[in-house]
Amino acid sequence: MFTIFDDRLDAFARRTLDDHRRFDAGAWRPEEIEAHQLRALRETLRYVAARSPFYGELLGHLDESAIADLTFDSFAELPFTTKDDLRGRLLDMLSRPVHEGWIFYETTGTTGRATPCPRDNVDSLVNNTALSVCYRHVFEAHGDRHVIAVMGPNELHSTGDTFGDVCRNLGAAHAKMWPHSPVVGFPRALEVIREIAVTGVFCTPNVAMSMAREALRAGLEPRELGIRFFMFTGELATPGLLRNIGELWGATAYNCLYASQEASILGAVHGDGRLRTVPLNVYYELIDPETGRPVPRGEGPRQGELVVTHLYQGSKPLVRYRTGDLVRLSPAPATDAGGYPSEVLLPLGRVRDLIDLNGHGVTAYELESTILDRLAGAMDYQLVIDRIDGTDTLTVEVETRGGRPLPPDNVTDLVRAARDAWGCPLTVAYGRLGGVTTTGAMVSWKAARVHDRRRAPDAERRVALAMAGQREPR
């Protein structure tokens, strides 16, 4: 509604919506998308070099002639922006002062100094429009009269405002509730879900699992609470995890978002259940994380560290920002001819979360997929890595409903898969897991899920354990 008070923003919002609707309908030709991206890259460079103290130093050597002649190849020669830059330069990263934004956010600061992430109206209009256009397909697939629960980490995070705005755009009522908050808590969250007949939930996967355990302890059957779909963000979400949580709740579970507080929306789920890139808003590059060199483009999937540049000019555009995340980008499915024409984005985990198992470099996605594809019925899990007689071994600690053991065939299959993939002997142990597995969204997947006994806990694992001590065991 704020746009009706500003004619310029009102016109911008309408153009943005029209562009994304046309893209959603497959009306943008490839050459039109490339022209849009190159034009926007030039504008972002002009904008940040003139407004941001950091980029004024980093890119101030670019004159108008160099920017006007920019190509994708010459753009790839510009320096990267790193997380250390964000932590070290803080407000100097901004291209607009805080008072010119509409809201101030920051990163959680659990593993380092919190960095400022303000948004202005351009930031929110561009990002929330993309989400609204994509999520419309998901909401409509699950009926109407929706009441959505939005469960985020804290008040200085964008989750509540972003998803609340998207729900409003799609005509769905919503309630913001933080189950880990001492004011709300899981028991009250479950009461609200029942009282107002919640149909969908935005949350992390672990919040959904924690909420299911709380429901069972209260004598409630999760499948009978009426939730039709979950929209997950903030943690790794493999197909096995989505299936397990979906079966537990009798709902459809989506990995709905790939984003960060620093870089905003980088991927959104579409009606086919896959995460898609948003090429009208973001320019994507893949690099070799060791060398920094580009991953060659081809006709098939590409894999590497994701580097992003914002194609809109808001409070804090980033140029060639190394996300530190490994991803796989695949061409749009052939079945989407005439449909949403963007690549499928598959997050594989952070670069520094690669785990060596008997000489095999294993991504977080590969490890979790191999395990959870064979843990149907698991309500929570943790991986313990040991090294015995020169061989890396795995123990999968599992929490199941009522403590029931997994089907023997599943365990046999899991043991075989670990042996064949990584040469790891594997055992399964059962029990109630502590609060550390609930910290993934605040710290990291690896800190929350992996207990590597081969070495002393690193800083992130220590933070996760300290945070777990402040939470009720789930």
Side-chain angles (χ1 to χ4, degrees):
M1 180 178 174
F2 67 88
T3 58
I4 67 174
F5 292 93
D6 186 313
D7 291 341
R8 181 187 62 84
L9 281 174
D10 187 65
F12 175 79
R14 293 176 186 277
R15 288 197 307 272
T16 300
L17 178 59
D18 180 63
D19 284 345
H20 282 274
R21 281 177 169 167
R22 286 179 52 237
F23 189 84
D24 186 62
W28 282 67
R29 300 183 306 278
E31 59 271 22
E32 187 179 4
I33 296 172
E34 285 194 6
H36 163 81
Q37 290 186 323
L38 191 56
R39 183 170 59 250
L41 285 175
R42 292 168 177 159
E43 188 57 37
T44 292
L45 290 177
R46 294 187 183 100
Y47 183 83
V48 299
R51 291 171 172 269
S52 163
F54 170 78
Y55 283 119
E57 298 170 15
L58 189 70
L59 303 173
H61 64 282
L62 295 175
D63 58 21
E64 178 54 35
S65 174
I67 293 177
D69 293 338
L70 186 83
T71 65
F72 292 119
D73 288 337
S74 62
F75 179 76
E77 297 174 359
L78 296 178
F80 295 115
T81 303
T82 68
K83 291 183 184 293
D84 286 340
D85 293 327
L86 270 59
R87 295 187 184 107
R89 298 301 297 271
L90 299 172
L91 293 172
D92 280 350
M93 300 296 306
L94 305 187
S95 292
R96 287 187 179 276
V98 172
H99 73 265
E100 290 186 7
W102 81 271
I103 194 165
F104 179 84
Y105 303 121
E106 64 181 19
T107 56
T108 58
T110 51
T111 58
R113 187 171 183 178
T115 59
C117 303
R119 306 278 198 272
D120 71 359
N121 288 316
V122 167
D123 294 313
S124 293
L125 283 168
V126 166
N127 285 286
N128 295 358
T129 296
L131 291 182
S132 300
V133 169
C134 287
Y135 289 177
R136 176 179 63 84
H137 300 278
V138 176
F139 277 45
E140 290 180 350
H142 295 281
D144 55 11
R145 299 182 180 182
H146 286 301
V147 179
I148 308 297
V150 179
M151 301 180 177
N154 60 54
E155 294 79 5
L156 279 172
H157 202 276
S158 58
T159 296
D161 293 318
T162 297
F163 291 141
D165 192 39
V166 169
C167 288
R168 177 180 286 187
N169 292 343
L170 297 176
H174 74 281
K176 297 184 179 76
M177 57 183 85
W178 316 136
H180 282 296
S181 161
V183 177
V184 178
F186 283 89
R188 180 56 186 154
L190 284 166
E191 289 177 358
V192 173
I193 286 171
R194 299 171 70 194
E195 288 169 359
I196 65 176
V198 165
T199 59
V201 180
F202 284 96
C203 67
T204 65
N206 200 274
V207 165
M209 291 189 285
S210 297
M211 198 159 54
R213 290 195 294 272
E214 190 71 46
L216 291 170
R217 284 200 291 269
L220 303 173
E221 171 53 57
R223 299 174 66 90
E224 295 176 0
L225 295 181
I227 295 175
R228 304 173 197 168
F229 63 101
F230 282 90
M231 302 285 270
F232 291 140
T233 184
E235 294 176 351
L236 191 69
T238 58
L241 182 66
L242 297 178
R243 184 194 64 245
N244 280 3
I245 296 176
E247 291 176 354
L248 181 63
W249 284 92
T252 304
Y254 298 92
N255 187 12
C256 79
L257 185 70
Y258 172 61
S260 73
Q261 191 82 314
E262 302 99 327
S264 294
I265 310 304
L266 304 178
V269 71
H270 207 263
D272 62 358
R274 298 181 175 95
L275 280 176
R276 300 300 192 92
T277 59
V278 190
L280 299 189
N281 294 356
V282 180
Y283 180 66
Y284 301 83
E285 300 174 80
L286 291 183
I287 63 170
D288 182 314
E290 296 294 329
T291 66
R293 297 181 62 82
V295 173
R297 290 180 177 269
E299 296 183 358
R302 298 175 292 140
Q303 184 170 313
E305 181 184 349
L306 181 64
V307 175
V308 297
T309 300
H310 292 129
L311 301 179
Y312 52 93
Q313 294 78 48
S315 287
K316 188 183 176 180
L318 299 176
V319 175
R320 302 205 76 211
Y321 173 58
R322 292 186 66 158
T323 63
D325 292 339
L326 288 172
V327 306
R328 184 178 301 142
L329 294 177
S330 303
T335 54
D336 279 9
Y340 202 73
S342 78
E343 292 180 295
V344 174
L345 189 157
L346 183 65
L348 302 174
R350 299 185 311 178
V351 172
R352 68 173 182 262
D353 282 353
L354 277 170
I355 297 173
D356 183 275
L357 293 176
N358 295 316
H360 302 276
V362 186
T363 67
Y365 184 91
E366 181 185 359
L367 188 56
E368 180 160 291
S369 292
T370 301
I371 301 300
L372 287 184
D373 281 351
R374 296 160 175 85
L375 288 190
M379 297 184 67
D380 204 359
Y381 80 98
Q382 182 174 231
L383 306 176
V384 179
I385 306 175
D386 277 301
R387 189 164 183 82
I388 300 174
D389 296 331
T391 299
D392 294 328
T393 67
L394 281 175
T395 299
V396 183
E397 297 180 341
V398 187
E399 185 171 342
T400 59
R401 187 167 179 171
R404 292 192 293 268
L406 297 169
D409 288 348
N410 287 27
V411 175
T412 300
D413 190 23
L414 182 55
V415 169
R416 183 186 303 114
R419 182 194 62 213
D420 293 347
W422 315 307
C424 287
L426 181 145
T427 57
V428 176
Y430 300 94
R432 183 173 174 180
L433 301 180
V436 69
T437 61
T438 72
T439 65
M442 299 293 287
V443 186
S444 74
W445 171 87
K446 187 177 181 181
R449 293 291 179 189
V450 177
H451 181 189
D452 192 342
R453 291 177 176 164
R454 298 173 299 179
R455 55 185 59 89
D458 61 15
E460 289 191 342
R461 178 69 177 179
R462 291 195 298 271
V463 169
L465 291 169
M467 186 178 296
Q470 301 171 8
R471 289 182 169 181
E472 189 77 19
R474 297 294 172 192

